[in-house]
Amino acid sequence: RGLGDVYKRQLYVSIDTKRKVLDVVKKIGSEYMTATSYVENIVRQHLELYKDDINRIYKQKSTKNLI
């Protein structure tokens, strides 16, 4: 599903991080890549990669998985 199909909300990052993201997208992104899609993919990959760690930490406080 494309990013246009989801409900979007703002998240804030430091101006330094925003500048770095925009620079990366400008220099290596395709004509269709946006800063939003780039960050969305990073966050999705991070959550998937660290899902077990996140759930383990959460389970220390609860009996269920968070992700």
Side-chain angles (χ1 to χ4, degrees):
R1 166 166 121 164
L3 290 180
D5 300 327
V6 297
Y7 180 72
K8 298 178 188 175
R9 298 291 294 176
Q10 291 180 342
L11 290 173
Y12 297 96
V13 296
S14 70
I15 191 70
D16 185 53
T17 300
K18 181 179 178 182
R19 285 183 184 139
K20 288 177 184 176
V21 167
L22 291 174
D23 198 35
V24 167
V25 170
K26 179 181 173 184
K27 291 181 179 174
I28 68 167
S30 71
E31 63 182 294
Y32 303 106
M33 182 185 284
T34 64
T36 299
S37 65
Y38 180 68
V39 171
E40 172 76 13
N41 285 323
I42 290 171
V43 172
R44 284 178 182 257
Q45 289 177 8
H46 174 87
L47 291 173
E48 184 59 33
L49 182 64
Y50 293 102
K51 178 171 53 176
D52 293 339
D53 292 330
I54 293 167
N55 285 326
R56 180 182 46 76
I57 292 167
Y58 182 71
K59 278 185 171 183
Q60 292 172 356
K61 298 178 183 182
S62 177
T63 58
K64 298 179 181 178
N65 284 339
L66 182 60
I67 299 176

